[in-house]
Amino acid sequence: MHCPILIAVVIWSSCVDSQKIRGISLSYKRFYRERKSFLCIDGSKLIPFDQVNDDYCDCADGSDEPGTAACPDGRFYCTNLGYRPHYIPSSRVNDAICDCCDASDEYNSHTACQNTCRNLGQRERAEVKSQMRALDQGLRLKQQLIEEGVLTWRDKQAQLRDLQRVLDDLQTQLDDLRKEDARRKKEVDALRELEIGALETEENSHRSHIMNESPVSIFYELDSNRDGRLSAKEVRAKLTDIQDGERVLSEDEAVALLGGGHHVDLSRFEETLWNSIRIGHNVTIRGRVPGRLVKGEPVLKAAVSAAEKAAAELKKVEDAYETVYMEIRDLREKLATDYGPEREFLFLYNQCFQLKVHEYFYELCPFNQVTQTSASGAEVSLGKWGSWAGSPQHRYSQMKYENGEPCWQGPTRNTVVTLTCGTETALRSVKEPGKCQYVAEFQTPVACRPALRQQGVHSEL
Amino acid sequence: MAAFIVRMGPVLMLWLAVCVSGSWAVDRGNFKTCDQSTFCKRQRALKPGQSPYRALLETLELTNTKLTLQLINDNNKVRLLLELYRLQGNMTRVKINELKPLKPRFEVPDVLINDPPTEPLSLLSQDENGMVLSLGADSQRLIVSAKPFRLDIMEGREVLLSLNSRGLLAFEHLRIRKDTLADPEGAEKKEETDAASEQTEGEEATKEDEKVEDGMWEETFKSHTDSKPNGPTSISLDFSLPGVEHVYGIPEHADTLKLKTTDGGEPYRLYNLDVFQYELFNPMALYGAIPVMLSHSPQRTMGLFWLNAAETWVDISSNTAGKTVFGQMLDYVQGSSETPQTDVRWISESGIIDVFIMLGPTPTDVFAQYASLTGTQAFPPLAALAYHQCRWNYNDQEDVAAVDQGFDQHDIPYDFIWLDIEHADGKRYFTWDPHKFPQPKEMLQGLEDKRRKMVAIVDPHIKVDNSYKIHSEIRSRGFYIKNKDGGDYEGWCWPGNSGYPDFTNPEMRAWWASMFAYDQYEGSRENLYTWNDMNEPSVFNGPEVTMHKDAVHGNWEHRDLHNIYGLYVQMATAEGLIQRSGGVERPFVLTRAFFAGSQRYGAVWTGDNAAEWDHLKITIPMCLSLGLVGVSFCGADVGGFFKSPSPELLVRWYQTGAYQPFFRAHAHLDTPRREPWLFGPENTALIREAVRQRYALLPYWYQLFYHAHRTGQPVMRYSLWVEYPQDTATFSMDDQFLLGRDLLVHPVTEEGARGVTAYLPGNGEVWFDVHTFQKHNGGQNLYIPVTMSSIPVFQRGGSIIPRKVRVRRSSSCMEHDPYTLYVALSPKRFAQGELYIDDGHTFSYEKQKEFIYRRLAFANNTLSSRNLAPGSQFTTLSWIEKIVILGASKPSKVTLKMPDGKESQLEFDFDASMSVLTLRKPGVNAGVDWTVVLQ
């Protein structure tokens, strides 16, 4: 043995009863009581006790060489006073690499290992302390967030109920409006049908409409100078364009209406201008409603206008319904997402977190998506919210975002987000260990678990 | 690394899209067939028949060292000069050049390790038809026939080999361009020619118009035009090998070990190319070229070394090919048939004919002969024989640390972690990406703390960027290869527009080597080693993805020396690694391109393979072929480079790779991560076990490499004909192999395999299953059921293999560990083996003779360790932990005897069911004499 005295003392003091037995923990000491012989712990073989730790592997289970590298798959116990004891594979004993902080693994390798357990222990205790502090704070924050989450959840539930109520109202309205709309439409249709019928038998239809107006009375109405004939001038004075009531007809137009002459008598009037007025396509008598509408159409017009109004009303309510419906759907979807056992992750919804890594800008929008934006501004989807993906024990320790933009000659991009406990909520790192396979670290108080305190306490020794 | 993929400029991407077109197979259209390579087409059009060449016997000159003789082509009266040497060690060298070439023709330098020592030749008889010479002391004779010219080498009454027996000697002499496009310098050249030809008889004839064919003075392939300022310069020669049915070698091809006949198909092509997604089982050229062919029959093993670095094609035909076994049997019974014969024809684009005929007669002799010409395998640092973890790419320092940690966490050993092209700053080799690898030295120190190492890639294409020191220095020193117009040659590669240093220039190589000095290569440390990829050279926008043949290296065209470029890159890099340590440390450099002699500089791998079962299978013949021609340090990307392996394939590949010389996992950038622990605990355990088997056997591997380095014997051997040259049964078998003489490995390369049939050679021998110690008889096909746990491996009865069964984090950690000796007894209860130990990483073994080399022998129930190298000295802390004797009987007493007379009894354990005797803790130092007696 070439150990510094200090190390020897440490070993001696930690194994008072069985000085010789290197590499075992106190709980195993009972197997190594100094006797004449040693029974392999698996019971497979009895060997002389001086073959324990003699750097030759006798037991199939390696139990005769806890302190040397002789047995494959053996393990060596680092006592690590002042720090944390742990096992190392026995292949790391005397390999010239310091594994145990108490240097006990390198007792014969000419490697000067320092006992760093005190420092490590102090550092770890300090670390654990600050971790514990962070954990406590994190847990407090988490509690707040849970409470906030509860409120949010209630709000959202209330909101959902309200929306549902609104939707029900809208539904009732819709039912009424649909009926009204249908009725109006039917009315218009009926009138339209009449109109169409009228147009089909135009003469009759018009005659019936102008029963009060005989060609004779119109002739005398237009014959302003009562000379028994209509002149172009009289026509221009009395008639107007059906489309534009203000416009004065031109001389030529008047002449044309009169069948090509400048004057017509009654009988000639009945053959020419009367037809124009009666059909009401071009001209009408100034100050009077154009020919067609003159006759019975105000009813239809009113019906159409009422129908249009009903339809508009219906559309408005339908739109409102659609909006509320979508809102409910979104809200339901949102509420159906798994926000953890206490809905502690609910607050992340609709939030996004950014991180810049070299030339790339990453954004994580929890329960939505992960994106990467390059310096040139091109945005690439690294995955859309898929599911929680932690181990069965810690389902909520990882999130999976899938089906991002496909890679060249490869699969679609995806991202696994690991959640870690911290007092802040922030995206801590994004990496791409394999092509288009991203991993991100996302720190948040809600990832803090009381169990971490147990582990911390344990590691404190 | 891949030929071409992603992350390149848009221009390249466009070009890639055309090239890649999404399919998984090689795009054959990117590479020439013989028909598309005009010299090959011209030469292949020449059919066997009467040779126009005649030996001018009156020109014979015979000195102590060589014979010279002029040959004349009776068609064009051009004269050639034949030089013939009898070389020490049963070799004959034949050189043929133009007697008076217009200008010198290229002769490949730097391949032979020295001017091969000669032996005197003597003239036995001569008449007007020819002459007979004695080749040294043996009964070997050389017969020179004058008309037509032909050489026959005979031993006794038997013809071993004939040259130009089929009349395919063809030598396209340098000529002046006579078509309309003749260059303006023609007149000047002509004067020189006239001056030169005045001394030559038959000068009138040489002025006869040569037939001008398409492609003689210019050749276009796809969009690339090859200006051929020297016109046609190709050479060809045929060899006949009577009695030979099996020829091997001429790597690199993704094909069976036994070479196939090429009648009616493409010849085997040797032209270093970056082939994207290469296809299996065909004669297409790949990344490296070693123009060495071995022939083997139960009577004799011989070799042909065609020393030419230009594009080369090899045709093989056989008079028994295509005959059924029954047909051959009928021939034999009737006694009427011709003897089996293999005919080989070599065609090269330029240079001279310079061929070394290695006459064996045993495989060992041929390996020694070739080693005496081109040197042996570099003796690698021990760690380089351990496991290498690579991926394109480990992204950053954190990633490296996490992977390193992963190995410890899963208790899997590894020695090297590798960084591919993404580690450098914009693919500027010798630099580090400032964001991803801001503290390379700290990273390397972190690995050193675990006694591990790193390899970073340094490719020979240099980004054209004036702010990049390497580029500006190479440019200012004029070290770049030039294009045909005299400017620096530029092509596209990973960094975009790149220059290619002229590694054929010794000054360039010296400068390059100096760049590896710790103060030059920033961020480097002692545990950083180098990987040379893309050194065919790969030029993405060049013809066949390589350099234009009319590019210029000093006095020579790229055409003349293409195949040796990659060798020079590795040579200069290895030299750099040696120099940075002041000549103390052994280098480790991996290369993709190689040539004859590359074995002296490090390791090679089989390039960009794929995660497919057939690619796993082909690793065996590919590495065996390389081993036969000197390159023992060969491996394939474990898991397959392209695509993603199933866990089963990955496990099987680890199990196979663990028994192949260069053991490195590698993966393409686009594939999912595949570190050994990513496939569930079961597969992790299987891979751990495979890697541990490798580590336990490192002493044996190291000793095999020492042996290869000393003797040129391959590490990974073809089981039958190298060690069992008489056993014809499996001359064509390439699904199993021997490591050294003593371990027989039969990888499992079928998906879902439940068993394999292994051939155990050697009638009267026995083999021990290393996993179960079950004994099997040799000379039989043995069906072995397999599970996923391992592949069949057998230790030869009669051998002793040292292992270090305490597998640790890295090979360095195992340095002082004790040995376990596995003694497998032959049926005559005999066994022997060796034990080689040195410091594992320096040249002290060579310079200061600091090593231990011992013979371990078991005979007469006594096992002893004796010094094989009395002049050497080295002390080790390692001792003998355990001795396992397979095929033993139970002794009553076991005594350990030391030279000083001290004796002690050893405890032992005997397993009667398997006849395994285990001696407990002899405890003797591994470097001393000792004896163990069983009574």
Side-chain angles (χ1 to χ4, degrees), chain A residues 45 47-48 50-58 64-65 68-74 88-99 105-106 108-111 358-360 407-411 429 431-438, chain B residues 4-7 13 16 20-24 276-277 391 393 395-396 398-399 407-409 411-412 435-436 449-451 669-673 688 692 805-810 812-813 817-818 877 879 881-882 907 909 918-921:
Chain A
K45 204 171 172 185
I47 59 170
D50 60 11
Q51 289 184 2
V52 170
N53 273 347
D54 72 337
D55 208 13
Y56 184 91
C57 190
D58 292 288
D64 62 316
E65 297 295 319
T68 76
C71 290
D73 297 317
I88 58 167
S90 62
S91 64
R92 292 177 196 173
V93 173
N94 289 329
D95 66 349
I97 299 169
C98 309
D99 291 286
D105 60 319
E106 296 302 318
N108 195 19
S109 70
H110 309 287
T111 298
H358 304 320
E359 72 267 47
Y360 291 110
C407 289
W408 189 73
Q409 279 208 336
S429 74
K431 283 183 218 153
E432 188 187 2
K435 185 88 183 294
C436 300
Q437 315 291 304
Y438 295 82
Chain B
F4 1 89
I5 321 271
V6 243
R7 299 206 175 172
M13 281 305 292
L16 285 176
V20 176
S21 62
S23 89
W24 272 112
F276 182 68
Q277 291 170 346
R391 173 177 180 82
N393 214 99
N395 298 332
D396 48 32
E398 247 178 274
D399 199 1
F407 276 92
D408 282 347
Q409 201 178 325
D411 204 12
I412 301 171
H435 297 298
K436 298 168 182 166
D449 291 346
K450 301 259 193 80
R451 309 186 71 181
L669 182 71
D670 287 342
T671 60
R673 296 290 284 240
R688 178 191 299 124
R692 284 185 176 186
V805 296
R806 304 181 179 190
V807 174
R808 300 188 187 254
R809 252 184 292 226
S810 70
S812 304
C813 293
D817 279 341
L877 293 175
W879 45 285
E881 171 173 34
K882 184 163 37 170
E907 281 182 45
D909 183 66
T918 304
L919 310 186
R920 186 185 193 279
K921 209 180 178 189

Side-chain angles (χ1 to χ4, degrees), chain A residues 64-351:
Chain A
D64 62 316
E65 297 295 319
T68 76
C71 290
D73 297 317
R75 53 183 202 162
F76 179 91
Y77 185 77
C78 306
T79 307
N80 290 349
L81 272 182
Y83 185 54
R84 186 170 5 124
H86 66 98
Y87 282 101
I88 58 167
S90 62
S91 64
R92 292 177 196 173
V93 173
N94 289 329
D95 66 349
I97 299 169
C98 309
D99 291 286
C100 305
C101 66
D102 63 6
S104 56
D105 60 319
E106 296 302 318
Y107 58 87
N108 195 19
S109 70
H110 309 287
T111 298
C113 295
Q114 304 297 315
N115 187 327
T116 56
C117 291
R118 236 175 88 91
N119 287 343
L120 278 177
Q122 276 170 358
R123 202 188 311 153
E124 193 188 57
R125 278 187 291 275
E127 235 164 69
V128 165
K129 214 171 183 181
S130 84
Q131 270 174 19
M132 286 304 110
R133 214 177 293 129
L135 178 58
D136 286 343
Q137 203 184 335
L139 286 170
R140 268 197 303 279
L141 287 167
K142 181 180 181 176
Q143 199 49 46
Q144 280 174 25
L145 288 167
I146 289 171
E147 282 157 19
E148 276 173 35
V150 170
L151 293 179
T152 313
W153 182 259
R154 280 193 202 132
D155 278 359
K156 296 288 170 195
Q157 289 291 355
Q159 195 184 337
L160 184 62
R161 279 193 301 276
D162 289 349
L163 285 170
Q164 192 61 54
R165 213 170 296 127
V166 172
L167 193 71
D168 291 347
D169 285 354
L170 287 171
Q171 184 66 56
T172 318
Q173 281 185 47
L174 269 182
D175 291 347
D176 293 349
L177 284 169
R178 285 213 176 99
K179 271 183 219 146
E180 174 69 7
D181 183 55
R183 197 173 59 76
R184 293 282 181 197
K185 282 214 175 88
K186 220 174 190 173
E187 199 175 284
V188 171
D189 285 351
L191 288 170
R192 281 257 161 78
E193 228 159 90
L194 272 175
E195 166 87 348
I196 290 161
L199 283 172
E200 275 167 359
T201 55
E202 197 174 292
E203 292 291 325
N204 297 338
S205 159
H206 274 275
R207 198 178 297 144
S208 69
H209 282 285
I210 55 167
M211 54 189 142
N212 300 331
E213 314 270 355
S214 70
V216 180
S217 65
I218 296 292
F219 182 83
Y220 287 111
E221 191 185 334
L222 298 180
D223 185 13
S224 332
N225 60 2
R226 310 267 183 242
D227 64 354
R229 50 184 204 156
L230 293 178
S231 67
K233 191 183 168 196
E234 284 168 322
V235 168
R236 289 180 68 204
K238 289 284 186 180
L239 292 185
T240 176
D241 187 331
I242 198 160
Q243 303 297 337
D244 181 1
E246 301 303 314
R247 190 168 79 85
V248 177
L249 297 176
S250 69
E251 185 80 15
D252 288 346
E253 281 170 332
V255 170
L257 285 167
L258 294 175
H262 282 274
H263 294 92
V264 290
D265 57 15
L266 179 59
S267 66
R268 181 81 179 131
F269 167 72
E270 286 182 35
E271 290 162 21
T272 58
L273 184 57
W274 169 239
N275 282 327
S276 294
I277 294 168
R278 189 169 50 110
I279 295 163
H281 277 173
N282 303 323
V283 289
T284 188
I285 298 165
R286 194 179 294 275
R288 291 172 76 163
V289 183
R292 285 170 74 199
L293 292 179
V294 170
K295 309 147 197 116
E297 289 203 350
V299 187
L300 178 60
K301 192 192 166 196
V304 166
S305 137
E308 276 168 359
K309 212 175 132 204
E313 185 68 14
L314 176 61
K315 178 81 174 49
K316 210 171 91 192
V317 178
E318 269 177 348
D319 285 353
Y321 184 89
E322 183 73 6
T323 308
V324 175
Y325 180 82
M326 295 299 279
E327 218 169 301
I328 288 174
R329 205 186 60 179
D330 286 354
L331 196 54
R332 281 228 174 96
E333 206 173 87
K334 180 173 167 179
L335 293 173
T337 302
D338 182 353
Y339 294 106
E342 300 176 272
R343 301 204 179 93
E344 62 270 35
F345 297 99
L346 183 61
F347 80 103
L348 293 172
Y349 198 92
N350 283 345
Q351 291 206 60

Side-chain angles (χ1 to χ4, degrees), chain B residues 755-788:
Chain B
V756 295
T757 301
Y759 181 76
L760 302 182
N763 273 317
E765 292 195 14
V766 293
W767 293 87
F768 294 88
D769 185 317
V770 301
H771 308 303
T772 63
F773 301 145
Q774 175 84 43
K775 184 163 79 176
H776 303 283
N777 289 323
Q780 63 158 335
N781 281 303
L782 180 70
Y783 179 82
I784 307 133
V786 296
T787 62
M788 278 310 291

Side-chain angles (χ1 to χ4, degrees), chain B residues 9 51 114 203 356 387 476 499 510 521 555 593 597 608 665 827 833 835 876 908:
Chain B
S51 174
N114 53 27
E203 200 255 327
F356 296 81
Y387 174 63
S476 68
Y521 189 166
N555 293 324
D608 299 344
L835 183 60
T876 177
F908 60 87

Side-chain angles (χ1 to χ4, degrees), chain B residues 670-867:
Chain B
D670 287 342
T671 60
R673 296 290 284 240
R674 58 168 96 136
E675 283 69 48
W677 49 88
L678 295 176
F679 301 88
E682 243 172 75
N683 290 310
T684 306
L686 291 170
I687 293 172
R688 178 191 299 124
E689 173 56 24
V691 178
R692 284 185 176 186
Q693 286 183 21
R694 170 62 164 231
Y695 275 72
L697 269 174
L698 281 175
Y700 184 63
W701 278 105
Y702 196 49
Q703 164 182 319
L704 288 177
F705 268 86
Y706 178 69
H707 207 248
H709 173 63
R710 293 294 300 272
T711 66
Q713 303 300 308
V715 165
M716 184 174 162
R717 300 174 195 182
Y718 178 42
S719 60
L720 276 309
W721 64 270
V722 171
E723 283 305 322
Y724 299 87
Q726 310 295 321
D727 191 345
T728 57
T730 52
F731 277 15
S732 313
M733 200 187 271
D734 55 12
D735 56 354
Q736 62 181 44
F737 53 90
L738 282 171
L739 291 180
R741 300 172 59 206
D742 299 334
L743 273 189
L744 176 70
V745 182
H746 192 109
V748 178
T749 58
E750 298 286 341
E751 187 169 16
R754 307 232 163 166
V756 295
T757 301
Y759 181 76
L760 302 182
N763 273 317
E765 292 195 14
V766 293
W767 293 87
F768 294 88
D769 185 317
V770 301
H771 308 303
T772 63
F773 301 145
Q774 175 84 43
K775 184 163 79 176
H776 303 283
N777 289 323
Q780 63 158 335
N781 281 303
L782 180 70
Y783 179 82
I784 307 133
V786 296
T787 62
M788 278 310 291
S789 67
S790 61
I791 58 171
V793 179
F794 303 91
Q795 182 176 345
R796 193 174 57 83
S799 67
I800 301 175
I801 290 181
R803 293 174 187 247
K804 284 189 173 179
V805 296
R806 304 181 179 190
V807 174
R808 300 188 187 254
R809 252 184 292 226
S810 70
S811 68
S812 304
C813 293
M814 296 160 65
E815 184 185 353
H816 303 303
D817 279 341
Y819 290 89
T820 295
L821 304 179
Y822 284 80
V823 181
L825 297 184
S826 72
K828 290 177 180 160
R829 300 179 55 75
F830 171 84
Q832 63 171 359
E834 291 170 357
L835 183 60
Y836 176 82
I837 307 172
D838 65 15
D839 65 21
H841 57 95
T842 73
F843 284 109
S844 301
Y845 76 96
E846 197 174 62
K847 293 180 176 163
Q848 281 90 41
K849 301 265 170 254
E850 290 180 356
F851 63 93
I852 291 166
Y853 191 34
R854 306 191 70 80
R855 170 164 307 269
L856 306 168
F858 185 98
N860 303 320
N861 280 325
T862 302
L863 174 66
S864 60
S865 170
R866 293 285 171 264
N867 196 355

Side-chain angles (χ1 to χ4, degrees), chain A residues 344-454:
Chain A
E344 62 270 35
F345 297 99
L346 183 61
F347 80 103
L348 293 172
Y349 198 92
N350 283 345
Q351 291 206 60
C352 289
F353 302 86
Q354 291 89 20
L355 181 72
K356 190 167 183 293
V357 183
H358 304 320
E359 72 267 47
Y360 291 110
F361 188 76
Y362 293 92
E363 186 171 70
L364 165 65
C365 302
F367 307 106
N368 184 6
Q369 61 168 351
V370 185
T371 58
Q372 177 199 58
T373 311
S374 67
S376 64
E379 188 181 291
V380 174
S381 165
L382 305 187
K384 296 172 199 73
W385 165 245
S387 58
W388 290 102
S391 63
Q393 297 87 348
H394 304 301
R395 224 168 91 70
Y396 301 99
S397 62
Q398 278 190 342
M399 294 171 148
K400 203 166 174 183
Y401 293 81
E402 302 158 314
N403 295 319
E405 207 143 299
C407 289
W408 189 73
Q409 279 208 336
T412 55
R413 287 173 173 79
N414 67 52
T415 305
V416 173
V417 180
T418 300
L419 286 83
T420 56
C421 167
T423 52
E424 284 168 31
T425 296
L427 186 56
R428 288 294 183 211
S429 74
V430 181
K431 283 183 218 153
E432 188 187 2
K435 185 88 183 294
C436 300
Q437 315 291 304
Y438 295 82
V439 294
E441 189 201 332
F442 181 60
Q443 197 184 62
T444 170
V446 290
C448 297
R449 288 175 293 116
L452 292 172
R453 192 179 337 214
Q454 299 303 312

